[in-house]
Amino acid sequence: MKSGKSPSRGNHRQLGKRDRAILADVIRYRLTTNELIHQRYLPQASINAVTKITSRLTTAGWVQRHTLVGSQLYFVPSRTACRHFALPISRCRPLGLQSLATSLSIAQYCQTESQGYRLVDSGDLELRWPWIPPKLRTIPYAMLPGSDAGQLRPIRVDLGGTPEHVANKCTHDIKLRQQVGGFRALLNERRLMYVVLTSTKIKKDFIKSALQKRNWPDNMRFEVVEIPDLCWLLSL
């Protein structure tokens, strides 16, 4: 795919507020799509208006487009954007199937939910949860921007395992976090919500049932969310 010309620092200053927000999403979530931009920034406009924006950002050299499925595309930082924002150069390459399913599901959960969650990045961790050890920073977390409550939402994406397998993963994740005083404090204050993203309502119900059969720490709460696009993402 063509990545367009290399953007200059001057071009970066000329980006509009919405362009910068879209680019920030691409960096935070590893990707975006025309559909996500449509829902998030231009719900009243036509999808053609969105494709003009992503075409312009591609031509200007800020994003790199890759094929999602059929005529659908997803956008990642361009090679030049990676250098400009000090990102690993690998971020401009197509995502592997599991990474694509995980990243797109998380982006859809955060960007299309009415609450307006945000995927936690390294800056958020250092500012609000610096006590989380590096080995526990590999799982994604979501937060509510600007929320004084400081609720933290670890996210587990169901990539096709059985409901019991998903429950086992949750058990493992939570046992590790119980060893950290900061996580225990979040539990005690009911500020920890474990999120599971799955593909169908039937799978959602089965996972809920598997979770309910387990013994969890006091105040442990779960949210199981259906992300319909996971069905076809996992079949690619």
Side-chain angles (χ1 to χ4, degrees):
M1 293 288 183
K2 296 180 180 178
S3 59
K5 61 185 180 182
S6 298
S8 67
R9 292 187 180 274
N11 283 341
H12 183 245
R13 288 194 293 270
Q14 292 169 13
L15 287 173
K17 182 178 179 181
R18 185 174 57 205
D19 293 336
R20 290 173 182 267
I22 291 169
L23 191 55
D25 285 345
V26 173
I27 293 169
R28 181 176 294 271
Y29 294 94
R30 299 192 66 190
L31 53 69
T32 194
T33 65
N34 287 320
E35 292 72 26
L36 279 170
I37 295 170
H38 192 205
Q39 293 173 29
R40 187 165 170 82
Y41 295 106
L42 293 163
Q44 306 304 321
S46 69
I47 193 68
N48 287 339
V50 178
T51 59
K52 288 180 181 178
I53 293 172
T54 51
S55 293
R56 174 168 49 78
L57 289 173
T58 302
T59 301
W62 286 112
V63 298
Q64 169 80 45
R65 63 179 181 260
H66 299 294
T67 299
L68 184 56
V69 63
S71 61
Q72 288 183 276
L73 301 171
Y74 68 96
F75 302 88
V76 300
S78 68
R79 181 176 291 271
T80 304
C82 288
R83 290 196 294 266
H84 186 93
F85 293 102
L87 301 171
I89 202 67
S90 59
R91 290 281 298 271
C92 72
R93 299 171 189 151
L95 277 70
L97 294 182
Q98 288 195 350
S99 293
L100 179 59
T102 298
S103 297
L104 187 54
S105 297
I106 292 171
Q108 289 181 342
Y109 170 70
C110 290
Q111 297 181 37
T112 62
E113 287 286 310
S114 59
Q115 293 92 337
Y117 298 118
R118 184 174 81 186
L119 182 66
V120 171
D121 64 12
S122 58
D124 296 321
L125 287 172
E126 291 304 323
L127 180 64
R128 304 185 70 165
W129 299 285
W131 45 262
I132 299 179
K135 68 178 182 179
L136 297 184
R137 296 187 181 195
T138 54
I139 187 173
Y141 297 93
M143 61 183 283
L144 280 173
S147 171
D148 291 332
Q151 187 187 82
L152 190 62
R153 292 175 167 248
I155 302 175
R156 167 71 57 183
V157 179
D158 166 25
L159 295 174
T162 66
E164 283 300 318
H165 175 76
V166 174
N168 286 339
K169 289 288 188 181
C170 295
T171 299
H172 176 73
D173 289 343
I174 291 165
K175 280 184 176 179
L176 287 178
R177 282 155 183 79
Q178 277 187 282
Q179 300 170 21
V180 179
F183 281 109
R184 291 197 299 271
L186 290 177
L187 266 176
N188 292 337
E189 297 162 10
R190 295 181 62 81
R191 292 194 290 126
L192 192 68
M193 174 72 78
Y194 195 105
V195 178
V196 179
L197 307 182
T198 192
S199 56
T200 66
K201 184 181 183 305
I202 293 175
K203 188 72 177 288
K204 171 182 171 179
D205 291 341
F206 279 131
I207 291 173
K208 280 185 172 181
S209 178
L211 292 172
Q212 288 168 359
K213 294 174 183 176
R214 308 256 174 147
N215 292 320
W216 301 105
D218 291 342
N219 297 323
M220 187 67 238
R221 295 179 296 156
F222 291 91
E223 180 184 37
V224 186
V225 180
E226 177 188 354
I227 304 291
D229 282 353
L230 259 177
C231 282
W232 60 263
L233 282 168
L234 295 175
S235 68
L236 291 176

